[in-house]
Amino acid sequence: MLLTKTNVRSIILSMKKGEDTKQTILECALQLASQVGLESMTIGTLAAETGMSKSGLFAHFQSKEKLQIEIIEHAGHEFASQVVAPALKMPAGIPRVSALVENWIAWGANIKGGCIFVSASTEFSDRPGRVREALLRQQEAWIDSLRRIAQSAIQVGHFRKDIDCDQFAFELYSLLLGFHYYHKLLQDAETKKRQEISLKQLLDKYRQQ
């Protein structure tokens, strides 16, 4: 569900205090950060968006850095539950790879500004610190998921035994990043079709003949 400025305050106020409220705030923060950038996210910015007081939000996050880290961690949890976990329920091999791609695309579509990890990686790639470390942990876990899915495709006989799983992870992630930029920035009407063609070609490259 896309949270909007008009309904987020009423949702927050209607929920019980504590962790549920914080999760709703983080969902709003994720949507906002995807549009304005993680660096622009402050407690004051979030207060203006949600209609909550700065003091109330400060009690949850304590600092701008902690807010940014919790946004990344919240996004990582949502990504795991909405993208990776459903794909793992599919049969191993090509069906699982295809599900992972479709889930990633659907997840990004439900975030106003697109995949937060793409924009945050640009912002923090050369900025050492706790925010970058949190982002790096999430991305390493994602790439490891791609690698493991390739390994399972070998085990069920869909991929050749001699493939480089790290190379497959690199190529699949590159395909997804290309889709993101073509879809969000270039707004190319042919993006989905090109993504489907590219995925088929990639799978054919690794497929067991």
Side-chain angles (χ1 to χ4, degrees):
M1 179 180 70
L2 292 179
L3 298 179
T4 65
K5 187 174 181 178
T6 57
N7 67 15
V8 66
R9 180 170 171 77
S10 62
I11 293 173
I12 291 172
L13 292 176
S14 68
M15 297 180 69
K16 67 179 185 290
K17 292 182 179 180
E19 195 60 30
D20 287 343
T21 300
K22 187 173 182 180
Q23 290 303 305
T24 301
I25 295 170
L26 282 170
E27 182 59 28
C28 179
L30 172 58
Q31 297 288 347
L32 183 59
S34 74
Q35 299 173 83
V36 304
L38 197 60
E39 177 57 25
S40 296
M41 285 300 301
T42 65
I43 290 176
T45 303
L46 187 56
E49 181 71 10
T50 61
M52 297 183 68
S53 67
K54 289 184 181 180
S55 60
L57 288 173
F58 186 82
H60 284 292
F61 302 108
Q62 304 298 316
S63 69
K64 172 181 176 177
E65 181 183 66
K66 192 169 186 297
L67 170 62
Q68 292 171 330
I69 291 171
E70 292 211 35
I71 291 172
I72 291 172
E73 291 176 345
H74 173 73
H77 174 76
E78 293 296 299
F79 187 87
S81 64
Q82 297 178 32
V83 177
V84 179
L88 293 177
K89 294 179 181 178
M90 298 294 292
I94 291 175
R96 188 171 292 176
V97 175
S98 299
L100 193 74
V101 171
E102 290 303 314
N103 294 348
W104 189 93
I105 292 172
W107 184 77
N110 282 327
I111 301 177
K112 292 178 182 178
C115 181
I116 185 67
F117 303 119
V118 175
S119 57
S121 294
T122 300
E123 290 182 280
F124 288 91
S125 60
D126 297 320
R127 298 179 56 184
R130 294 176 61 218
V131 178
R132 184 183 183 278
E133 290 169 4
L135 181 62
L136 187 59
R137 285 194 298 271
Q138 195 285 330
Q139 290 297 283
E140 288 175 340
W142 165 235
I143 292 170
D144 186 58
S145 295
L146 298 180
R147 185 186 303 113
R148 289 175 180 274
I149 283 177
Q151 291 169 345
S152 66
I154 295 173
Q155 292 170 358
V156 298
H158 288 189
F159 284 179
R160 303 188 318 275
K161 292 183 179 180
D162 64 342
I163 73 165
D164 183 338
C165 292
D166 288 304
Q167 182 65 26
F168 174 81
F170 175 86
E171 293 184 27
L172 182 57
Y173 199 10
S174 297
L175 186 159
L176 292 170
L177 292 174
F179 172 86
H180 183 276
Y181 284 113
Y182 266 74
H183 180 65
K184 286 294 183 181
L185 179 62
L186 302 178
Q187 298 184 350
D188 188 332
E190 300 293 310
T191 298
K192 190 64 171 67
K193 183 177 75 173
R194 296 185 192 284
Q195 173 262 309
E196 291 170 353
I197 292 172
S198 296
L199 179 60
K200 181 180 183 303
Q201 291 175 342
L202 178 63
L203 294 175
D204 287 345
K205 174 181 175 180
Y206 287 90
R207 194 188 301 267
Q208 178 74 271
Q209 301 300 325

